[in-house]
C-alpha cells in the first residue's frame, strides 16, 4: 500500500509513540524520505511534544492575546467571505 499525506498525518502520533506495526512504520518512513511537507509536520509535532512536556512557564508578550484574537477573527471572516471579499454562496450571515 502506498501512503498519501493524509494517511501519514493520521498516524503521526502513533508513529512518534512507536505503536504502529512494523510494515506501516516502513511505509511511513518511505513516504517521509520524499515528502518535505510530512517531514515538516513530523518535526513540528515532535517539537510541540517537547515544548509541552517542558515544565517551564513562558510569559506571553503584553497584548498577545488581543492580537491573537484579532488575527483569528480576521482569518475567520476572510475564510467565510472567500477570496473576493464577498460572502461565499451558501454561507450564513
Amino acid at each position: 500500500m502506498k501512503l498519501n499525506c493524509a494517511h501519514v498525518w493520521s498516524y503521526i502520533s502513533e508513529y512518534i509513540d512507536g505503536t504502529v506495526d512494523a510494515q506501516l512504520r516502513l511505509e511511513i518512513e518511505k513516504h517521509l524520505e520524499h515528502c518535505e511537507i510530512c517531514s515538516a509536520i513530523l518535526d513540528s509535532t515532535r517539537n510541540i511534544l517537547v515544548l509541552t512536556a517542558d515544565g517551564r512557564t513562558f510569559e506571553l508578550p503584553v497584548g498577545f492575546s488581543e492580537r491573537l484574537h484579532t488575527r483569528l477573527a480576521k482569518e475567520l471572516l476572510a475564510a467565510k467571505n472567500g477570496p473576493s471579499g464577498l460572502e461565499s454562496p451558501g454561507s450564513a450571515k
Side-chain angles (χ1 to χ4, degrees):
M1 168 173 90
K2 183 172 180 172
L3 297 180
N4 63 30
C5 294
H7 289 116
V8 172
W9 299 342
S10 68
Y11 289 107
I12 286 289
S13 292
E14 291 89 350
Y15 177 81
I16 291 171
D17 291 342
T19 57
V20 295
D21 65 65
Q23 181 60 39
L24 181 55
R25 176 169 284 283
L26 289 173
E27 292 295 325
I28 292 171
E29 288 171 354
K30 189 184 301 183
H31 180 87
L32 292 170
E33 288 175 7
H34 303 286
C35 184
E36 291 181 21
I37 294 171
C38 287
S39 294
I41 289 172
L42 175 63
D43 289 341
S44 297
T45 304
R46 283 182 174 149
N47 288 338
I48 290 168
L49 291 172
V50 168
L51 288 172
T52 56
D54 187 337
R56 295 179 291 174
T57 302
F58 297 95
E59 289 292 324
L60 295 175
V62 173
F64 176 82
S65 293
E66 292 82 11
R67 290 191 305 273
L68 175 63
H69 286 277
T70 300
R71 174 78 185 268
L72 288 172
K74 285 180 185 176
E75 293 294 329
L76 287 171
L77 184 61
K80 178 183 174 187
N81 292 337
S84 67
L86 303 174
E87 191 167 313
S88 39
S91 62
K93 285 188 178 183

